[in-house]
Amino acid sequence: MDLAERMGKLARQKEALAAGDPAAVERQRAAGRLTARERVQKLVDAGSFVETDSFMAEAGCVTGYGLVNQRPVYVLAQDATVRGGAMSQAQKRKMLKLLDLAQKGGGAVVLMPDSAGALVTEGAAVLSAYAQVFACLARLKGELPLIAVLAGSAIGSAAQFALLADVAIAVEGLCEVAPFPASVQNAVQGTAVEGKKLNGAQALAAKGVAALTAKDEEESLVLVRKVIDLLPCTAGEGTPLEEGDDLNRLIAVPAADSKALAADIADAGSLVELYGAWKPSARTYLARVGGHACGIVCCSPEEDGGRLDAWACDKIAKLVTLCGDYNLPVITLVDSQGLAVPAQGGEAWLMTASARMLSAYANLWTPKLAVITGNAVGAAYVNFAGRDMADLCLAWPTAYIAPLTREAAVQTFQADRVAEEGRPALEQEAFEEADAFAAAACGLVDDVIDPVQTRKHLIAGLELLADRAGSL
Amino acid sequence: MLTDTAYTLQVLTFILIILAALLLLVGINMLRRAKSDGAEPAAQQPSQAALLPRAPAPVGGVEAGVAAAITAAITCMLAQEGAQGAPQGFVVRRIRRI
């Protein structure tokens, strides 16, 4: 056979592989889902995708590499149109080959689970396949950013694709992710809830499994690109600096709420809230501030005085750990009355989670900047703003820094004066004894700043400490 | 924010402007006096201008002019400061590292 003939065969085979099984593709479209190849092509920069092992069609997944905003990404997309996208020995081999390449080349790994489960005809060997793929992903976590797009089914072991990712994005109306099928859950719990409602995007976001939700697949891919932009290619690198918003822009004070404050501090249009539907007493973001990619933790005083329960502590620990893994500075906006008193029996989990949060801050080697905008009571100061927890701690003139809330301080130390002088006067006295100026006078905060200049102070701090985060 | 040297130069410039304005006002005043001393007696018929209502004379003569000159200089200075954003405190700049 001559070259022209072989080239013809290559072209025919490539075309057939790309087209797939028309009936299966039609079923996928009827379910309102994109095919694996369509997802990949919509994710990467036009014309940049290189598919690997495309002739291993029976593996039921599309693998390859491409560019997102000119930065390398590696994609593993289960193909529900081929054997239901089920995990198999062949799929494992294909996935492991790509993950090996990703480790060598460096770049974010995008996981797109969409399968009917595992190819059970392979027996226990398929469990080994899962084990090998998950072990590889677990080892890569913290080395390469892992992002999961949940636009299909990931039931049983496949749910680990979502849980092992650094950021999971669930698509409304399409995804179903759970350790057990809905039928099993309903049988055990005596319910009759539809699978996509029980384990769909909204449920995953409310449980803190999905960091982000998208209205459709197109939006989910836009979010993936945005998240990739805020993370480095590998843990050993910094995220490229991006010029944009004015370094000397003043912020609006007072802000409507904690979210508006975070948005004003961040560079215009750069804020991405993670786990927004989960435990809003603390808010966590990825953003750029003065062009530096960073994490922002924000207490929400509008939610129970910003008191932190165990899950809020866990949420914060997640973001701080992510920032530590990927060289991102952390900005913490503190306005919290401390830890929330748990319901009976919840003390152990609160102590565990708050210790996890404290450890995350203490072990964070990237720049840590704290701004006390209101209350920094007890654990709030200790965890977020205390020496060794923050490299730079600034306070607004409205800040109150004390072991006890004003109410508790009056109750504890001034109970005998309450009847004569009234609580408001005594609470004001307590505030003035522990305000920002008192804290600054004894070095508990580094400076008291004009709130409108908060962004400028934070950028100056990031500029000073940026080298530690490896910014390019 | 201006550097110390630039700021000093700016202040000196404004002082010079004030002095120049003072000298000009004194000169004009002396000329007026000399003119009125050597002037012919008033004509029999009042001129048309003399019949029109006069604008009120500046109070204090030279002193009022000095005050106006100083005010103008200060206003100019403040406007320039405001344009540079100096009242907002420090300015953030990129730190260049090698």
Side-chain angles (χ1 to χ4, degrees):
Chain A
M1 280 189 182
D2 62 7
L3 179 62
E5 202 175 331
R6 302 304 292 173
M7 289 300 289
K9 184 176 180 181
L10 174 66
R12 283 192 301 279
Q13 289 217 3
K14 285 270 183 187
E15 196 179 337
L17 288 167
D21 173 7
V25 170
E26 191 49 47
R27 279 197 300 277
Q28 183 79 350
R29 295 226 170 95
R33 292 175 174 143
L34 298 173
T35 65
R37 284 190 178 82
E38 285 169 342
R39 285 171 182 156
V40 174
Q41 291 296 347
K42 282 176 186 286
L43 169 69
V44 298
D45 295 348
S48 70
F49 187 66
V50 179
E51 189 170 337
T52 55
D53 290 320
S54 60
F55 291 97
M56 289 175 68
E58 291 302 299
C61 75
V62 175
T63 57
Y65 54 89
L67 301 175
V68 165
N69 296 330
Q70 299 183 317
R71 296 168 67 201
V73 293
Y74 299 81
V75 188
L76 288 83
Q78 285 184 318
D79 186 350
T81 66
V82 179
R83 299 210 287 190
M87 174 58 76
S88 63
Q89 301 269 38
Q91 190 176 95
K92 170 206 75 178
R93 280 196 295 276
K94 203 168 166 177
M95 285 185 168
L96 290 179
K97 270 182 80 177
L98 187 82
L99 292 174
D100 182 55
L101 189 65
Q103 195 169 20
K104 287 171 182 161
V109 176
V110 181
L111 310 167
M112 297 179 172
D114 185 0
S115 77
L119 199 64
V120 290
T121 51
E122 290 189 354
V126 78
L127 300 178
S128 173
Y130 265 137
Q132 283 179 271
V133 170
F134 293 149
C136 186
L137 287 172
R139 283 194 295 270
L140 281 178
K141 190 169 179 168
E143 192 178 332
L144 304 178
L146 304 180
I147 299 162
V149 180
L150 311 174
S153 290
I155 307 291
S157 295
Q160 294 295 343
F161 280 116
L163 301 167
L164 284 168
D166 292 304
V167 177
I169 302 165
V171 182
E172 289 173 17
L174 295 183
C175 80
E176 190 179 346
V177 179
F180 306 102
S183 56
V184 175
Q185 285 174 273
N186 281 322
V188 172
Q189 293 161 5
T191 52
V193 186
E194 196 239 330
K196 278 184 192 154
K197 197 165 186 185
L198 197 61
N199 303 311
Q202 297 295 343
L204 294 172
K207 291 172 192 165
V209 175
L212 293 160
T213 57
K215 287 191 168 42
D216 52 37
E217 291 201 61
E218 309 271 348
E219 191 186 21
S220 73
L221 299 173
V222 170
L223 285 169
V224 174
R225 292 176 66 93
K226 206 165 178 180
V227 170
I228 286 174
D229 186 54
L230 291 164
L231 295 172
C233 290
T234 70
E237 299 174 28
T239 306
L241 194 70
E242 194 172 289
E243 298 290 349
D245 207 346
D246 180 8
L247 300 185
N248 288 287
R249 178 168 60 77
L250 303 179
I251 64 165
V253 176
D257 55 24
S258 54
K259 191 171 185 175
L261 176 63
D264 206 3
I265 285 172
D267 291 356
S270 72
L271 198 72
V272 177
E273 181 168 12
L274 303 182
Y275 306 105
W278 182 48
K279 293 294 164 189
S281 58
R283 296 196 173 275
T284 52
Y285 305 93
L286 287 176
R288 285 188 184 271
V289 176
H292 298 272
C294 61
I296 300 179
V297 174
C298 190
C299 305
S300 306
E302 58 272 13
E303 300 276 345
D304 189 27
R307 288 184 179 83
L308 303 167
D309 65 9
W311 289 108
C313 293
D314 194 52
K315 176 176 172 175
I316 293 170
K318 265 188 180 184
L319 182 84
V320 175
T321 304
L322 177 77
C323 291
D325 284 346
Y326 299 111
N327 311 331
L328 301 177
V330 173
I331 291 170
T332 308
L333 306 174
V334 188
D335 189 354
S336 167
Q337 304 263 22
L339 297 180
V341 178
Q344 199 173 10
E347 295 85 356
W349 173 220
L350 178 66
M351 287 190 286
T352 304
S354 64
R356 190 177 295 170
M357 177 174 74
L358 186 143
S359 297
Y361 270 98
N363 291 315
L364 186 68
W365 63 276
T366 60
K368 298 175 267 193
L369 310 176
V371 182
I372 303 174
T373 60
N375 291 302
V377 175
Y381 179 81
V382 174
N383 284 280
F384 302 139
R387 187 55 56 204
D388 294 333
M389 294 297 181
D391 299 307
L392 192 64
C393 177
L394 307 168
W396 285 8
T398 47
Y400 170 76
I401 299 137
L404 299 174
T405 62
R406 278 165 258 195
E407 297 82 358
V410 169
Q411 192 62 36
T412 307
F413 302 115
Q414 309 290 354
D416 53 330
R417 293 170 59 196
V418 169
E420 194 180 330
E421 298 176 50
R423 280 189 185 276
L426 292 172
E427 283 177 14
Q428 180 61 25
E429 190 180 303
F431 169 72
E432 280 168 17
E433 281 174 6
D435 68 1
F437 303 100
C442 53
L444 291 174
V445 298
D446 298 308
D447 199 3
V448 182
I449 61 166
D450 179 351
V452 299
Q453 300 215 35
T454 303
R455 177 179 147 85
K456 289 169 62 177
H457 281 281
L458 288 171
I459 295 172
L462 289 173
E463 281 290 313
L464 189 70
L465 301 166
D467 255 13
R468 225 171 67 199
S471 286
L472 299 174
Chain B
M1 187 84 91
L2 292 169
T3 62
D4 287 349
T5 317
Y7 188 76
T8 311
L9 279 172
Q10 200 175 40
V11 170
L12 284 171
T13 311
F14 284 115
I15 290 169
L16 284 173
I17 292 169
I18 293 165
L19 286 173
L22 268 174
L23 286 171
L24 190 66
L25 285 166
V26 169
I28 290 167
N29 204 40
M30 285 174 70
L31 274 172
R32 274 185 184 165
R33 279 187 188 168
K35 203 174 179 182
S36 64
D37 288 348
E40 292 292 314
Q44 295 294 320
Q45 293 294 320
S47 69
Q48 185 69 17
L51 292 171
L52 291 171
R54 281 186 172 187
V59 181
V62 176
E63 290 77 9
V66 172
I70 291 170
T71 308
I74 289 171
T75 309
C76 180
M77 197 171 173
L78 285 175
Q80 201 170 359
E81 288 264 311
Q84 290 167 350
Q88 296 302 338
F90 77 100
V91 175
V92 185
R93 293 192 177 93
R94 287 259 181 254
I95 295 176
R96 192 162 51 170
R97 297 174 198 268
I98 298 167

